[in-house]
Amino acid sequence: MLAFLALLAAPIQTETPPASSTGCRYDKPAMMALDERAFDRTMTGGWRTLAKAGCDAQAADLIAEWRSSHPANARTAGLLQWHEGQLRANAGQTARAIALFDAARKSAEEDAGFGWNLYVDGSIAFLRRDLPGLDAARAKLTALPRPAGYAPIGADGKPRAYAWPMNLNILDGFVACWNRPYKQAYACAGPPKTIVAPKA
């Protein structure tokens, strides 16, 4: 499950057109009526329709409102906070983004061996303009061994390829594009180093 959540941690396509007043309109009652899966995990629906139109701040506000009007799912609440934080970082709302990123940390038990919190550390360090902190988080993530027995299964029930360490390519992009805003630096991430799944 952690691998699935980490893969979904990517915000949206980073090459988006500038926001326009018409492009940022949406059907609010319809958005509020969506369940969590349709609102947050559908790549062509929910808040992502706004983000793809370049409406990062509006998409972040929509996530905040959706979260406030729906009961929190303890297992996935952090992911919604993370996505809102990414959108706020894209929009230059750095302090709010940092607070949301920090709130999206996993417990030590949930994160054991997976490095999510190291990704959080690196992302916050980038926003704080703390290059030593980013380098330290990246080094720890690079050294993280794959958990014994970790073999993610795809929707078809078969083993699937996966990146390890997860999100390392994003921290690499932050280092490579250190002097750029978050949205541009996030786009600097190269493809993750994928481990090919064994044949079933």
Side-chain angles (χ1 to χ4, degrees):
M1 178 55 70
L2 282 172
F4 174 71
L5 294 179
L7 289 172
L8 287 180
I12 29 70
Q13 296 174 353
T14 52
E15 294 301 321
T16 52
S20 67
S21 58
T22 55
C24 295
R25 292 181 185 162
Y26 61 94
D27 184 337
K28 184 174 175 180
M31 286 287 193
M32 291 296 111
L34 294 175
D35 65 17
E36 183 180 351
R37 179 172 293 278
F39 180 74
D40 188 50
R41 290 181 245 161
T42 303
M43 297 299 131
T44 57
W47 62 264
R48 294 173 198 272
T49 56
L50 275 175
K52 286 179 181 177
C55 306
D56 293 317
Q58 293 85 350
D61 290 343
L62 174 60
I63 292 175
E65 189 163 355
W66 191 95
R67 287 197 302 118
S68 70
S69 63
H70 292 76
N73 178 335
R75 193 169 53 85
T76 58
L79 193 58
L80 275 166
Q81 289 172 312
W82 184 260
H83 289 155
E84 182 187 341
Q86 287 181 304
L87 291 162
R88 296 207 183 279
N90 285 350
Q93 299 174 8
T94 304
R96 294 178 76 180
I98 289 171
L100 286 158
F101 282 179
D102 201 41
R105 291 182 188 279
K106 298 185 184 300
S107 69
E109 293 76 21
E110 288 178 301
D111 193 37
F114 284 91
W116 171 261
N117 290 339
L118 293 172
Y119 172 47
V120 173
D121 291 342
S123 298
I124 290 175
F126 177 84
L127 290 177
R128 287 183 172 153
R129 313 310 301 147
D130 174 10
L131 185 55
L134 173 55
D135 285 339
R138 186 195 166 281
K140 289 177 185 175
L141 188 58
T142 300
L144 193 68
R146 181 167 48 109
Y150 178 64
I153 302 298
D156 59 1
K158 296 179 180 179
R160 65 171 175 79
Y162 61 95
W164 193 267
M166 290 182 281
N167 302 305
L168 178 61
N169 63 316
I170 299 172
L171 296 191
D172 286 344
F174 289 160
V175 172
C177 297
W178 174 250
N179 290 318
R180 298 188 191 180
Y182 178 89
K183 189 169 187 173
Q184 293 177 18
Y186 191 96
C188 290
K193 294 177 182 174
T194 304
I195 295 174
V196 178
K199 292 183 179 180

